[in-house]
Each structure stands twice: as C-alpha cells, then as structure tokens.
Amino acid sequence: MGLEVERKFCVRSDEWRSLGTPVLIRQGYLCEVPERVVRVRLADGQGWLTVKGINIGASRLEFEYEIPGKDAADLLQAFCIPPLLEKRRTRIPDGALTWEVDEFLGDNAGLIIAEIELPNADHPFPRPAWIGEEVTGDPRYYNSQLRMHPYSRWSPSHSP
C-alpha cells in the first residue's frame, strides 16, 4: 500500500520561477468521488495512472503506475470526464525533499500552488520565502475540485 503525505501552500511571489524548468501537464479523471479518484496524467510524453483515496489530514492512500504516453493521451481523449486540467509544474529540489509548484492554466489561470511530499506527517521541512498560506485539507485546492469549480469562478472572498 502506498501512503502519500503531502502539504499544500499558496505561492506568494515569483522567486521560485528561476529555480527550475516547468513541464506542461494535462490530466483528467476517470472517477472522482469523495472516497477515491482515478487520474490519468500526461507530461513530457510520459503517462501515469493514479488512484488516490480520501484525505485524512495531510495523508491518503496513493497508487501510481507509469503507462505509455500514447495510452495516457488516448485515455484523456476517450474516457476522462471533461474538462481536462492543465498546468505547468516546476520541480524544485530542497535538500532531500522536492517542492512541486503548479501554475494552473485555462479556467484556473492565476492560481499557483506549491506542494511538498513528506516521508511522514511529523517530518520537518523548510518553508522558502515564496511560500504563503497553507491550504492542506482545503478541498477547493484539490485538482479534481479545480476541474469542476475552477479558480476563475471563485468569489473574491474565497480566493487566496
């Protein structure tokens, strides 16, 4: 069983942009109910199929499998629930850990979220100056929710 421990934060400045090279990601969902999501992702010609369970704090079960890029593209087109989600991801190494900064596109343009995967929930980690408010556990920031309730449609009182 795979356990993912991940913390999410809003990004408050552009300082991170010079720290890595962005990769375009297209992703879609085959299943999205509160108890589980099944996601297809295509990035840099490579595909992944991911099954995630319900969040319990910053943790949840996650199973991810690499699949051929063509299979991922075909799944995105033929089976995923529209609309697809697009974002540019920049991976930023920070010691033994890695920040992943997602700059969302399309209806979610303007939203930039940084995530860090941890070995366990109590693991300490540095917070770079460009990291803002923590949004771990806030369902508005789940990718599957952004697909259905895009950032561009949030009221000003609900924006970060």
Side-chain angles (χ1 to χ4, degrees):
M1 229 182 312
L3 184 65
E4 173 188 56
V5 179
E6 181 179 78
R7 306 267 300 269
K8 288 186 177 203
F9 300 83
C10 291
V11 172
R12 64 172 159 205
S13 77
D14 284 342
E15 294 173 54
W16 60 273
R17 290 189 186 277
S18 64
L19 303 175
T21 303
V23 172
L24 179 66
I25 293 175
R26 293 180 64 226
Q27 69 185 44
Y29 294 86
L30 298 167
C31 171
E32 52 185 8
V33 295
E35 299 80 21
R36 76 189 82 58
V37 295
V38 181
R39 177 187 74 205
V40 176
R41 181 177 278 171
L42 181 62
D44 240 3
Q46 184 55 57
W48 290 269
L49 183 64
T50 307
V51 180
K52 294 187 177 198
I54 195 165
N55 282 54
I56 301 170
S59 304
R60 66 178 161 183
L61 292 177
E62 178 188 60
F63 303 88
E64 187 165 67
Y65 305 96
E66 196 169 320
I67 62 174
K70 179 165 180 357
D71 289 358
D74 290 347
L75 286 167
L76 286 168
Q77 182 177 354
F79 294 108
C80 288
I81 306 162
L84 299 180
L85 198 66
E86 290 191 328
K87 58 188 176 180
R88 283 189 294 265
R89 172 167 286 174
T90 303
R91 294 175 53 83
I92 302 169
D94 193 352
L97 303 173
T98 300
W99 287 95
E100 292 180 338
V101 180
D102 289 341
E103 181 176 15
F104 289 86
L105 305 172
D107 283 344
N108 289 297
L111 180 61
I112 303 174
I113 298 294
E115 303 174 347
I116 190 163
E117 247 183 77
L118 304 169
N120 59 64
D122 299 327
H123 190 83
F125 61 96
R127 291 192 192 190
W130 43 268
I131 292 293
E133 172 190 1
E134 183 165 7
V135 295
T136 302
D138 185 337
R140 293 178 303 161
Y141 295 92
Y142 297 169
N143 282 226
S144 60
Q145 288 297 308
L146 288 169
R147 189 195 67 71
M148 295 183 299
H149 305 289
Y151 180 68
S152 63
R153 296 189 194 131
W154 291 9
S155 68
S157 64
H158 288 92
S159 297

